[in-house]
């Protein structure tokens, strides 16, 4: 069967710790496995940059504890136009604060996301992604006694919900809906068979969603260890150590190709794991609240022993010719 060469898609919102820039490195170690699992979904920068795929042949499962995030991906895969309708709004300071307050009070929505694997809310998805792209710094849709009033991001390089970042600038027109519909439909087409779960990361790492389906690639990109970064996530937990323990315990399984992401001083891995260095850009991905971007040079990815070890030429040609490597 001939593989479909996929077009890389921009992630639709800024996300701290996103791995879009490391996608080619990661896929060079995973190869074209039939099963892919991502327990900490985030902005799906690696999945959206998969070099080729056959949606009828491959299985892809993503998960995130953040109900707003998981709801956005579910909603996009079901009805891109409805999400675009709610997301296509001018940037307005009063609306930003009002929608922030409304969204954090949607407790029934969060319970339904955790309980029903098919539930999604288009309005919550559209308002959430609109606000996430207009909000400055951390705290969007998060209870905090330190945040009472927030100014929107309005600079000339406008941050709004982006299809390659459409301009939000000084004319105050916001993100035009026709741009968003086209872009969200492209996301919908890519995600229509992706299974989006909402809950604890271990839910998608049992035998049923992994090795029972054959060779499985697992991207472990947990929140950075809390003492190494600022509190930036909607769902805070010091889960990094537990993820490392799981990775080491399962790294010898020949049916698993595991990539563990973190800082250089965060994980001590066995000698048979390959450690690769990569660097994020100078923008949102590598920026702390204290404006110190030094951590961007500390990014590492550890690959388990059964990951591929492609030659340099194969790495350079990854997006041009992808070898089928399955057992």
């Amino acid at each position: 069967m001939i593989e479909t060469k996929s077009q890389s898609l921009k992630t639709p919102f800024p996300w701290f710790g996103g791995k879009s820039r490391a996608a080619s490195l990661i896929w060079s170690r995973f190869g074209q496995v039939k099963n892919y699992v991502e327990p900490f979904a985030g902005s799906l920068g690696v999945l959206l940059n998969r070099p080729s795929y056959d949606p009828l042949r491959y299985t892809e499962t993503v998960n995130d504890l953040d109900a707003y995030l998981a709801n956005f991906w579910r909603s996009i895969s079901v009805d891109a136009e409805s999400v675009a309708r709610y997301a296509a709004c001018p940037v307005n300071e009063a609306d930003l604060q009002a929608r922030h307050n409304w969204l954090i009070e949607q407790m029934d929505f969060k319970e339904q996301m955790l309980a029903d694997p098919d539930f999604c809310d288009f309005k919550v998805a559209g308002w959430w992604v609109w606000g996430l792209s207009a909000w400055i710094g951390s705290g969007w849709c998060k209870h905090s006694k330190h945040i009472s009033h927030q100014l929107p991001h309005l600079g000339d390089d406008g941050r709004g919900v982006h299809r390659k970042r459409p301009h939000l600038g000084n004319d105050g027109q916001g993100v035009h809906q026709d741009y968003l519909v086209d872009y969200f439909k492209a996301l919908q087409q890519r995600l229509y068979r992706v299974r989006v779960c909402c809950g604890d990361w271990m839910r998608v790492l049992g035998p049923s969603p992994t090795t029972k389906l054959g060779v499985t690639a697992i991207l472990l990109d947990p929140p950075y260890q809390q003492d190494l970064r600022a509190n930036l996530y909607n769902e805070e937990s010091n889960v990094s150590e537990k993820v490392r323990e799981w990775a080491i315990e399962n790294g010898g399984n020949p049916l698993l190709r595991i990539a563990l992401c973190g800082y250089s001083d965060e994980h001590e891995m066995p000698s048979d794991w390959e450690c690769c260095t990569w660097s994020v850009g100078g923008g949102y991905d590598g920026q702390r609240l204290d404006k110190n971007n030094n951590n961007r040079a500390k990014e590492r990815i550890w690959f388990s022993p059964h990951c591929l070890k492609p030659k340099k030429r194969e790495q350079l040609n990854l997006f041009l010719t992808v070898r089928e490597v399955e057992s």
Side-chain angles (χ1 to χ4, degrees):
M1 182 177 293
I2 298 176
E3 301 294 336
T4 301
K5 186 177 292 184
S6 64
Q7 179 180 2
S8 296
L9 292 170
K10 286 279 189 179
T11 56
F13 46 79
W15 195 255
F16 182 83
K19 297 298 184 292
S20 296
R21 291 175 180 266
S24 60
L25 170 64
I26 292 168
W27 286 113
S28 72
R29 268 57 178 183
F30 283 169
Q32 285 303 96
V33 291
K34 290 184 177 180
N35 191 36
Y36 173 73
V37 178
E38 192 167 343
F40 304 91
S43 61
L44 294 185
V46 173
L47 184 142
L48 294 178
N49 284 278
R50 187 170 187 170
S52 66
Y53 71 103
D54 182 345
L56 299 178
R57 192 179 182 190
Y58 296 157
T59 302
E60 296 173 325
T61 305
V62 301
N63 171 79
D64 207 280
L65 183 59
D66 186 334
Y68 299 109
L69 179 67
N71 175 66
F72 174 79
W73 291 122
R74 282 188 195 173
S75 298
I76 281 289
S77 66
V78 173
D79 190 340
E81 289 192 54
S82 292
V83 179
R85 184 171 68 251
Y86 286 109
C89 305
V91 176
N92 180 293
E93 185 178 344
D95 285 348
L96 186 66
Q97 197 66 38
R99 293 180 181 184
H100 166 75
N101 295 337
W102 183 83
L103 285 166
I104 62 177
E105 297 300 329
Q106 301 307 303
M107 301 308 296
D108 290 343
F109 153 77
K110 295 179 182 179
E111 292 176 1
Q112 286 181 280
M113 282 296 300
L114 292 169
D116 185 348
D118 297 317
F119 172 80
C120 58
D121 187 305
F122 308 135
K123 179 178 178 179
V124 170
W127 280 12
W128 175 80
V129 74
W130 170 85
L132 182 66
S133 300
W135 193 269
I136 299 174
S138 63
W140 175 245
C141 289
K142 180 178 180 181
H143 283 284
S144 176
K145 63 182 179 180
H146 302 296
I147 299 174
S148 58
H149 191 68
Q150 182 75 20
L151 292 174
H153 183 92
L154 285 173
D156 288 339
D157 63 344
R159 294 282 183 179
V161 185
H162 45 79
R163 181 191 62 90
K164 296 186 178 177
R165 292 197 180 183
H167 186 63
L168 266 191
N170 296 328
D171 64 359
Q173 295 300 308
V175 182
H176 294 292
Q177 186 170 337
D178 54 346
Y179 291 155
L180 275 187
V181 169
D182 290 344
Y183 172 48
F184 281 5
K185 280 186 174 180
L187 287 174
Q188 180 181 20
Q189 183 177 9
R190 176 61 183 88
L191 298 170
Y192 84 102
R193 287 183 62 89
V194 176
R195 303 185 294 182
V196 182
C197 302
C198 181
D200 184 78
W201 61 284
M202 285 294 295
R203 300 175 70 231
V204 295
L205 291 180
S208 293
T210 59
T211 52
K212 284 189 176 180
L213 299 177
V215 176
T216 300
I218 300 175
L219 175 63
L220 297 174
D221 187 17
Y224 299 106
Q225 188 174 315
Q226 282 182 289
D227 60 354
L228 298 178
R229 48 84 180 171
N231 292 337
L232 293 170
Y233 301 93
N234 281 339
E235 304 289 348
E236 285 289 350
S237 64
N238 198 13
V239 70
S240 177
E241 182 177 351
K242 294 180 180 179
V243 173
R244 177 178 68 252
E245 292 173 354
W246 185 93
I248 294 173
E249 182 179 347
N250 292 275
N253 189 331
L255 293 178
L256 295 179
R257 297 172 186 172
I258 304 170
L260 173 63
C261 305
Y263 289 148
S264 57
D265 48 357
E266 187 172 5
H267 299 305
E268 184 175 346
M269 302 300 290
S271 60
D272 56 351
W273 284 63
E274 179 191 13
C275 180
C276 293
T277 301
W278 70 284
S279 179
V280 301
Y284 191 93
D285 284 358
Q287 191 167 353
R288 291 169 54 99
L289 294 180
D290 57 9
K291 307 301 182 183
N292 182 351
N293 282 6
N294 292 335
N295 280 340
R296 66 182 178 180
K298 296 166 59 177
E299 294 280 1
R300 300 290 186 273
I301 302 176
W302 290 266
F303 295 99
S304 63
H306 293 283
C307 287
L308 305 181
K309 295 176 175 58
K311 298 177 182 179
K312 289 184 178 180
R313 178 172 294 179
E314 289 173 334
Q315 293 181 47
L316 291 174
N317 294 334
L318 179 65
F319 288 102
L320 299 178
T321 304
V322 179
R323 230 178 13 164
E324 184 78 16
V325 183
E326 297 176 339
S327 61

